[in-house]
């Protein structure tokens, strides 16, 4: 009997390849949290609750997409939060202070973010310096640049930005999303396509699997490593633009610690910090889980918002342990 | 006879690493349509020559000409684009990617920039079928054995339209059938006019496949010879610079004195890895394990070492039941395991030879009882010279050693522990003839001293030369246990492996 049970388990294990397990666990967790919230709180089991998670975290999602690229190569990017803040600051000062048109501002901000990423990637690769150190320097640099623009919060009154901030895209049935969500989902779709269907994406996985091997296999390692930091810089800048829509202000203290949220989302989404394994869908689920924790805590009402951090901390522990277990049973 | 124009010519190549002159004035020619063997002891500079050629390392001196034109590749990518396809010594693939992807990454069939996964999988399966390998190409590479990984690396190299194919010890973890398959492919490519550079420490393979050979010794060129004009004895003499006298000395081993049973495995097994087996290893006994790749040799060893959990059965060590649930527990019982996968499980590449050697010993003693530096130096010096590790500098980083010398360091690391049972999984892989004899002699000596040895090797001659008893595995089952008396020959072993009969 137990043999039959074992065989059954093995069959199940074979139908679900191990590489999907972390993503499925996160999906299961998300579903469980949603159901639990629905049972406990009145008005929770509503489609709009999930959509609001998207609306409130669109910028984080975009930033986490860039972070996923970096972590898949086995790197890390600590500069994303600061680049987000810098982007809001540049947007606000150019729009409000200098009266630039919105499209030009957005283009410039994206270019600045990508350039910062490119520079960090090049330093990491050509000088063989730890990504941790280089992006830590990038983090201080970008945050410092914010204050050279201004130490106060600058509000945005540009009509295009305010329009985008207030637009609700109605989905019918009383459900709605913001334009930022659409942008974020497009970014996710494009990134998932790149990771799965293009050479750049596969090289990202290969470099994460073994940089030395990738080099000897004749893959463009330098290009790939620089590209992922560029992508991350670009995504941070875009995240910054979305955050400016959301906040309608630029401020040097925006997005403090967002790099850690992004890393947490990626890890909870099942991507290995050592690189080479993980999916973008996981990252989306990771962001949703983080967002849903916040939602639950706000529904609870009496809990302090610090509980968000505690739950995220516990979740991270749980997921890192899970990855260990899966890794250990590889053979 | 008009010799065809060489496709590749290297002249006066010199390469110096900090403290080591790896290559010095080496000339090398490769003709189209030939299989050319590059020969030399461990550390002679074979891999370095290949890496210099393909741009992994820069050259310090000399010129490289491809098809009459001078070239200097910036890296493997550039070399590949110029038509030089290389399998480097260690398996250099990405374990996290699927088999199919490992074959094609970097040159996947695409349409409008979109990778055609179906096509990738189909062509990878086809290519591997051409190598007689019928495996699920969608699984990650890490789920397969080293041998399969090596075949995948070869498939990757032959998949491209190359003019020059370089294979640095491609056969080190392959069994006879797979080697034959590889040679078939090589002959086919040769007929198409492709020049093949081949490195191996198996002299029989060299004589079977190669047309000409170039011999290196200590980074210098010894000479270039047609294979047919150089006997094996002459070749070995040229490689090591002296006559190899005592290879055959071990012939006719004394029978094991019936020592006490040291390790007794009873119905030990693990679902999916190896069927329950019963095996007794006595003190001072060398037990050989023979069988094809994937027959469960390594799996059996891993169970005895506690590297995998046994599903069924029990183990007794020295008569007392022992739960070998972890490698630590096994080491506590005096069992040591020298793994076949030195890259993944063995050495710490960024530490020195001395540190690597002391590591396991120190761990076994406990970190609160450090070994004195003098004692360390003494031990290290002993094993470095016993195994002839070169360069004989204990402070050299392990990653800078040649492949064969790394293997020796790994072996020495376990020997230093003086275990009661030493499990050796393919210990002589990638090791040159001289050192191989050295290691075999050492194993014989240790067993005379009372150490039990479980010896796993794909080379049947080696198993026969050393063991008192041979266990034959087939399809993950221990099918026979044969006393190594005069009646046991490689033919008998082969037959048992093939038929799976209990004798
Ligand atoms: N990166 C490096 N740094 C320093 N020394 C090196 C490096 N690579 C190789 N060497 C040294 O160069 C010499 C030649 O090594 P190489 O790997 O070419 O030998 P090999 O002929 O391929 O031997 P094997 O048969 O063991 O593979 C050795 O002495 C080795 O220690
Ligand atoms: Mg070598």
């Amino acid at each position: 009997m137990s043999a039959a049970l074992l065989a059954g388990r093995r069959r199940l294990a074979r139908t679900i390849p191990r590489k999907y397990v972390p993503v499925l666990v996160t999906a299961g967790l998300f579903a469980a949290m949603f159901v639990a919230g629905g049972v406990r709180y009145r008005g929770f089991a509503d489609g709009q609750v999930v959509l609001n998670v998207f609306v409130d975290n669109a910028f984080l999602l975009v930033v986490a997409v860039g972070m996923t690229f970096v972590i898949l190569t086995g790197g890390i990017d600590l500069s994303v939060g600061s680049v987000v803040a810098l982007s809001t600051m540049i947007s606000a000062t150019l729009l409000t202070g200098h009266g630039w048109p919105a499209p030009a501002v957005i283009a410039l901000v994206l270019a600045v973010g990508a350039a910062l990423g490119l520079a960090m990637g090049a330093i990491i690769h050509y000088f063989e310096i730890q990504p941790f150190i280089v992006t830590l320097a990038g983090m201080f640099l970008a945050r410092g640049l914010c204050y050279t623009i201004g130490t106060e919060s600058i509000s945005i009154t540009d009509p295009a930005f305010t329009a985008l901030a207030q637009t609700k895209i109605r989905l019918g049935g009383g459900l709605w999303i913001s334009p930022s969500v659409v942008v974020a989902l497009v970014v996710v779709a494009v990134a998932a396509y790149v990771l799965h269907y293009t050479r750049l994406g596969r090289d990202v996985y290969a470099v994460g699997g073994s940089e030395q091997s990738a080099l000897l296999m004749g893959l463009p390692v330098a290009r790939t490593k620089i590209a992922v930091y560029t992508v991350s810089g670009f995504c941070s800048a875009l995240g910054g633009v979305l955050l400016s829509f959301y906040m309608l202000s630029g401020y040097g203290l925006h997005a403090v610690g967002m790099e850690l949220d992004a890393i947490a989302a990626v890890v909870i989404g099942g991507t290995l910090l050592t690189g080479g394994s993980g999916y973008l869908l996981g990252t989306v689920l990771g962001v949703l889980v983080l967002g849903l924790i916040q939602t639950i805590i706000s529904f609870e009402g009496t809990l302090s918002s610090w509980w968000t951090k505690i739950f995220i901390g516990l979740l991270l522990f749980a997921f890192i342990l899970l990855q260990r277990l899966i890794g250990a049973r590889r053979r | 006879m008009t010799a065809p124009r060489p496709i590749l010519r290297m002249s006066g190549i010199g390469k110096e690493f900090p403290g080591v002159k790896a290559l010095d004035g080496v000339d090398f020619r490769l003709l189209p349509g030939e299989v050319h063997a590059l020969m030399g002891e461990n550390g002679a500079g074979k891999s370095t020559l290949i890496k210099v050629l393909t741009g992994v390392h820069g050259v310090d001196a000399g010129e490289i000409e491809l098809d009459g034109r001078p070239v200097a590749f910036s890296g493997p990518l550039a070399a590949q684009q110029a038509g030089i396809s290389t399998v480097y010594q260690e398996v250099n693939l990405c374990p996290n990617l699927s088999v199919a992807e490992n074959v094609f990454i970097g040159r996947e069939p695409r349409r409008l920039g979109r990778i055609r996964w179906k096509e990738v999988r189909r062509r990878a399966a086809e290519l591997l079928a051409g190598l007689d390998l019928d495996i699920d190409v969608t699984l990650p590479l890490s789920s397969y054995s080293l041998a399969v990984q090596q075949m995948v690396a070869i498939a990757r190299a032959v998949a491209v339209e190359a003019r020059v194919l370089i294979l640095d010890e491609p056969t080190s973890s392959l069994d006879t059938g797979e080697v034959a398959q590889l040679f078939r492919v090589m002959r086919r490519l040769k007929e198409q006019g492709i020049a093949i550079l081949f490195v191996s420490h198996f002299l029989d393979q060299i004589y079977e496949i190669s047309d000409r050979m170039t011999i290196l010794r200590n980074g210098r060129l010894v000479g270039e010879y047609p294979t047919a004009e150089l006997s094996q004895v002459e070749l070995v003499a040229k490689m090591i610079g002296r006559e190899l006298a005592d290879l055959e000395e071990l012939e006719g081993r004394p029978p094991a004195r019936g020592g006490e049973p040291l390790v007794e495995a009873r119905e030990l097994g693990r679902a999916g890895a190896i069927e329950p087996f019963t095996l007794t290893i006595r003190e001072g006994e060398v037990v050989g394990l023979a069988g094809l790749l994937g027959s469960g040799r390594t799996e059996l060893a891993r169970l005895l070492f506690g590297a995998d959990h046994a599903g069924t059965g029990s183990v007794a060590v020295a008569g007392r039941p022992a739960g070998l649930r972890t490698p630590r527990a096994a080491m506590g019982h005096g069992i040591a395991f020298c793994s076949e996968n030195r890259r993944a499980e063995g050495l710490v590449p960024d530490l020195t030879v001395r540190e690597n050697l002391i590591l396991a010993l120190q761990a076994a003693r406990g970190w609160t009882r450090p070994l004195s530096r003098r004692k360390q130096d003494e031990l290290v010096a002993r094993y470095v010279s016993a195994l002839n590790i070169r360069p004989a500098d204990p402070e050299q980083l392990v990653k800078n050693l040649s492949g064969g010398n790394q293997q020796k360091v790994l072996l020495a690391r376990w020997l230093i522990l003086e275990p009661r049972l030493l499990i050796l999984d393919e210990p002589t892989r990638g090791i040159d003839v001289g050192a191989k004899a050295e290691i075999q002699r050492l194993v014989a000596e240790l067993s005379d001293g009372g150490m039990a040895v479980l010896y796993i090797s794909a080379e049947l001659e080696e198993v026969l030369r050393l063991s008192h008893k041979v266990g034959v595995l087939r399809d993950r089952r221990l099918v026979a246990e044969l006393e190594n008396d005069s009646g046991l020959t490689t033919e008998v072993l082969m037959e048992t492996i093939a038929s799976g009969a209990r004798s």
Side-chain angles (χ1 to χ4, degrees):
Chain A
M1 196 207 81
S2 78
L5 207 77
L6 244 156
R9 252 208 355 235
R10 221 175 306 133
R11 207 168 316 125
L12 195 73
R14 210 172 307 138
T15 45
I16 306 173
R18 178 158 294 164
K19 54 184 182 178
Y20 297 133
V21 170
V23 174
L24 288 176
V25 169
T26 311
L29 179 72
F30 179 72
M33 278 167 60
F34 188 68
V35 170
V39 170
R40 194 167 152 83
Y41 312 111
R42 190 187 268 280
F44 188 95
D46 179 12
Q48 191 59 40
V49 169
V50 178
L51 292 182
N52 279 342
V53 171
F54 273 110
V55 170
D56 295 336
N57 292 287
F59 48 89
L60 178 61
L61 184 53
V62 171
V63 172
V65 166
M67 186 66 82
T68 309
F69 274 77
V70 173
I71 291 184
L72 277 176
T73 62
I76 195 101
D77 188 349
L78 296 179
S79 71
V80 295
S82 303
V83 174
V84 166
L86 182 63
S87 304
T88 66
M89 209 60 190
I90 295 177
S91 305
T93 179
L94 289 181
L95 290 167
T96 309
H98 298 79
W100 281 40
V105 169
I106 293 177
L108 178 79
V109 163
L110 296 182
V112 167
L116 272 174
L118 182 99
M120 287 189 291
I123 293 173
I124 289 168
H125 182 77
Y126 289 111
F127 294 96
E128 292 179 20
I129 305 176
Q130 292 289 323
F132 187 95
I133 300 298
V134 175
T135 59
L136 186 70
M139 172 175 125
F140 284 117
L141 178 75
R143 196 65 80 177
L145 284 177
C146 291
Y147 296 112
T148 63
I149 295 173
T151 49
E152 301 292 312
S153 167
I154 306 171
S155 62
I156 297 174
T157 49
D158 178 82
F161 268 57
T162 41
L164 277 168
Q166 282 150 11
T167 307
K168 290 186 177 181
I169 301 173
R170 310 219 168 260
L171 303 174
L175 302 177
W176 62 274
I177 52 174
S178 63
S180 296
V181 175
V182 177
V183 173
L185 291 180
V186 168
V187 169
V188 167
V190 170
Y193 179 87
V194 168
L195 278 182
H196 199 71
Y197 285 108
T198 68
R199 285 204 181 151
L200 171 67
R202 302 323 294 171
D203 292 348
V204 166
Y205 280 91
V207 169
S210 165
E211 191 174 327
Q212 175 69 17
S213 294
L215 192 72
L216 291 180
M217 285 162 98
L219 301 180
V221 172
R223 200 166 70 204
T224 308
K225 276 176 73 182
I226 295 173
V228 294
Y229 289 95
T230 311
V231 166
S232 178
F234 177 87
C235 285
S236 311
L238 186 57
V241 171
L242 297 187
L243 188 66
S244 332
F245 293 163
Y246 190 76
M247 298 281 205
L248 283 179
S249 70
Y251 189 25
L253 284 179
H254 275 336
V256 170
M258 190 194 270
E259 57 278 352
L260 304 182
D261 287 336
I263 295 170
V266 173
V267 171
I268 291 175
T271 300
L272 282 183
L273 273 176
T274 46
S277 161
Y279 295 93
L280 214 62
L281 177 64
T283 299
V284 175
L285 288 167
V287 171
L288 287 181
V289 166
L290 291 189
L292 205 59
I293 293 177
Q294 278 166 351
T295 311
I296 287 178
I297 287 180
S298 66
F299 262 82
E300 188 63 39
T302 56
L303 279 182
S304 123
S305 67
W306 286 109
W307 281 97
T308 319
K309 307 256 179 232
I310 293 175
F311 278 122
I312 294 175
L314 290 176
L315 263 185
L316 270 176
F317 273 128
F319 270 81
I320 288 168
L321 283 180
L322 177 81
Q323 291 183 348
R324 267 272 139 214
L325 286 180
I326 292 173
R329 286 195 326 186
R330 261 261 158 71
R331 286 194 59 105
Chain B
M1 194 183 92
T2 58
R5 204 161 66 105
I7 173 96
L8 178 77
R9 183 200 292 278
M10 303 174 80
S11 40
I13 299 293
K15 175 73 196 172
E16 197 161 351
F17 291 113
V20 196
K21 203 151 185 120
L23 294 173
D24 185 10
V26 174
D27 299 327
F28 177 75
R29 301 184 305 149
L30 194 58
L31 308 181
E34 75 164 342
V35 174
H36 193 114
L38 188 57
M39 302 296 298
E41 287 180 288
N42 295 135
K46 306 178 293 294
S47 302
T48 305
L49 189 72
I50 289 167
K51 286 186 173 165
V52 161
L53 166 62
T54 53
V56 177
H57 299 313
V59 274
D60 294 343
E63 274 128 49
I64 305 172
E65 270 174 35
L66 184 68
D67 218 1
R69 246 165 312 193
V71 288
F73 299 118
S74 58
L77 181 59
Q80 244 174 49
Q81 282 161 350
I84 301 180
S85 186
T86 314
V87 177
Y88 295 93
Q89 184 163 7
E90 308 289 335
V91 175
N92 280 292
L93 297 174
C94 292
N96 58 324
L97 302 182
S98 73
V99 169
E101 200 169 358
N102 267 296
V103 174
F104 278 108
I105 192 165
R107 43 172 186 264
E108 301 96 336
R110 292 184 297 178
R111 186 182 291 132
L112 300 174
R114 180 193 160 109
I115 296 172
R116 297 161 64 198
W117 282 113
K118 265 219 188 90
E119 184 78 4
V120 169
R121 288 192 287 268
R122 189 182 61 75
R123 280 178 38 192
E126 234 172 65
L127 255 170
L128 290 172
L131 288 168
D132 245 6
L133 205 58
D134 180 25
I135 58 174
D136 182 352
V137 296
T138 61
L139 290 184
L141 186 79
S142 57
S143 48
Y144 290 106
S145 69
L146 211 58
V148 170
Q149 296 187 15
Q150 205 155 36
M151 292 299 269
V152 173
I154 292 166
R156 176 180 171 81
V158 301
V160 279
E161 303 275 311
R163 288 183 291 172
V164 176
L165 176 64
I166 300 177
L167 302 169
D168 193 354
E169 293 196 36
T171 56
S172 59
S173 50
L174 301 185
D175 70 19
T176 359
E178 286 163 319
V179 171
Q181 199 59 38
L182 171 64
F183 283 3
R184 252 199 300 285
V185 174
M186 282 168 67
R187 288 199 186 94
R188 201 183 67 219
L189 294 173
K190 181 172 125 173
E191 267 156 36
Q192 294 166 9
I194 293 171
I196 302 177
L197 172 58
F198 181 74
V199 179
S200 169
H201 287 295
F202 297 101
L203 300 187
D204 295 343
Q205 291 178 5
I206 297 293
Y207 277 86
E208 184 183 340
I209 191 80
S210 74
D211 303 306
R212 295 188 315 130
M213 57 174 82
T214 294
I215 303 175
L216 299 180
R217 185 169 71 232
N218 289 333
R220 286 167 187 279
L221 179 70
V222 175
E224 190 194 272
Y225 309 88
T227 309
E229 290 170 21
L230 198 69
S231 73
Q232 287 212 13
V233 178
E234 285 170 314
L235 166 63
V236 171
K238 287 199 191 313
M239 267 165 55
I240 64 178
R242 62 188 154 85
E243 301 284 323
L244 185 69
D246 34 11
L247 234 186
E248 305 305 314
E249 202 180 71
L250 288 170
E251 217 66 77
R253 301 219 44 204
R257 308 128 302 163
E260 292 295 305
L262 179 66
V263 174
E264 296 163 275
R266 201 155 293 123
E267 291 302 314
L268 199 63
R270 177 181 157 90
I274 182 147
E275 313 243 317
F277 65 91
T278 298
L279 182 71
T280 304
I281 304 172
R282 294 171 183 282
E283 279 169 9
E285 186 178 46
V286 181
V287 178
L289 282 187
L292 297 177
L293 282 170
S295 59
R297 296 178 311 202
T298 299
E299 286 77 2
L300 189 155
R302 288 179 63 89
L303 279 192
L304 283 182
F305 187 57
D308 291 324
H309 290 315
T312 64
S314 63
V315 186
V317 177
R320 251 175 291 149
L324 303 179
R325 313 258 326 147
T326 62
R328 244 193 110 68
M331 279 164 72
H333 286 287
I335 301 176
F337 177 48
C338 182
S339 146
E340 65 171 336
N341 198 347
R342 67 166 166 263
R343 191 114 174 272
E345 303 172 11
L347 297 167
V348 190
D350 285 317
L351 293 185
T352 64
V353 171
R354 177 177 57 81
E355 287 162 335
N356 267 288
L357 285 184
I358 296 299
L359 209 57
L361 182 61
Q362 188 65 70
R365 279 170 64 103
W367 295 101
T368 48
R369 294 169 50 219
L371 271 173
S372 77
R373 183 58 192 260
R374 236 194 53 224
K375 183 95 179 111
Q376 286 188 19
D377 287 340
E378 211 178 281
L379 273 172
V380 170
R382 195 164 107 222
Y383 282 94
V384 164
S385 76
L387 292 177
N388 198 8
I389 293 171
R390 266 178 298 166
D393 169 14
E395 301 307 319
Q396 183 68 254
L397 294 187
V398 158
K399 68 173 173 196
N400 292 342
L401 259 47
S402 79
N405 281 304
Q406 289 185 9
Q407 181 73 11
K408 293 186 206 166
V409 173
L410 183 61
L411 188 61
R413 193 170 91 181
W414 292 110
L415 289 178
I416 236 172
L417 286 180
E418 300 181 341
R420 289 200 284 174
L421 169 64
L422 178 62
I423 304 172
L424 296 173
D425 195 356
E426 300 284 359
T428 56
R429 155 177 314 152
I431 284 188
D432 67 50
V433 271
K436 203 178 245 175
E438 217 55 63
I439 286 175
Q440 291 173 0
R441 199 189 343 266
L442 199 70
V443 167
E445 239 174 69
L446 290 169
S447 95
D448 289 343
M451 187 190 293
V453 179
L454 185 65
Y455 199 92
I456 304 174
S457 173
E459 279 180 87
L460 297 182
E461 293 82 9
E462 191 173 89
V463 171
L464 277 183
R465 183 146 55 220
L466 284 173
S467 358
H468 301 111
K469 186 166 85 181
V470 182
V472 179
L473 285 146
R474 181 190 156 89
D475 295 336
R476 306 188 174 275
R477 226 153 52 84
L478 184 63
V479 290
E481 228 179 274
L482 310 170
E483 284 305 318
N484 191 2
D485 48 30
S486 54
L488 193 59
T489 58
T490 44
E491 286 76 39
V492 177
L493 262 185
M494 290 273 239
E495 223 163 86
T496 321
I497 291 172
S499 65
R502 270 172 206 279
S503 67

